[in-house]
Amino acid sequence: MPRNISFKADTVLADAMQLFWRKGYQATSVRDLSQVTHLHPGSFYHSFGIKKTFFLAVTDYYYKQLTGNINQQLATTKDSIKLLSEFFEKIVIDTDSANIRGCLLVNTLLEMSQDANVPWI
């Protein structure tokens, strides 16, 4: 009988996102992902498939987080200048405090630009 899934997908995706963001896709191994997500490789493959499929799920999670925050700010802020200022300030603070450089999606486009199997490239 298969075991029930005993992890929160959002937590796993968020933790993996930070790792991919720091190291990039190529430099991140399944072992690295297993350590950061606390999933055994077998559980990882069973739950998410191959590394590339998981990475695409991570980038989708990142995109939804990013656009959700932007849409929420757009709905609650009437001052466009203030909105843009807060948006860029948050990017600077987040990337500085997490020792992360750049946007995950832009970094991914640069790293995987030759990969025809990435659907949004």
Side-chain angles (χ1 to χ4, degrees):
M1 174 182 237
R3 288 180 46 182
N4 290 334
I5 295 175
S6 61
F7 60 87
K8 293 183 179 183
D10 281 355
T11 302
V12 168
L13 292 170
D15 291 343
M17 178 183 71
Q18 294 300 320
L19 180 64
F20 279 126
W21 211 340
R22 280 193 310 275
K23 294 182 77 172
Y25 174 78
Q26 298 294 337
T28 301
S29 69
V30 172
R31 178 176 288 178
D32 295 333
L33 291 167
S34 293
Q35 288 176 339
V36 78
T37 62
H38 307 290
L39 294 174
H40 295 290
S43 297
F44 173 85
Y45 286 118
H46 176 74
S47 299
F48 299 105
I50 63 173
K51 181 176 122 177
K52 184 182 283 183
T53 304
F54 179 62
F55 181 69
L56 294 175
V58 167
T59 56
D60 186 55
Y61 172 82
Y62 171 77
Y63 176 77
K64 287 178 182 173
Q65 296 300 309
L66 180 65
T67 57
N69 291 338
I70 292 169
N71 289 337
Q72 181 180 11
Q73 287 179 316
L74 286 170
T76 59
T77 304
K78 302 299 179 204
D79 183 352
S80 301
I81 301 295
K82 181 180 178 186
L83 176 66
L84 285 172
S85 175
E86 289 174 356
F87 174 73
F88 287 112
E89 184 177 316
K90 181 174 178 358
I91 289 172
V92 169
I93 291 169
D94 288 351
T95 56
D96 229 16
S97 65
N99 198 23
I100 295 170
R101 299 293 177 246
C103 170
L104 179 62
L105 296 178
V106 172
N107 294 350
T108 300
L109 287 170
L110 293 171
E111 183 177 8
M112 301 181 78
S113 64
Q114 302 302 315
D115 191 335
N117 294 318
V118 177
W120 39 270
I121 291 182

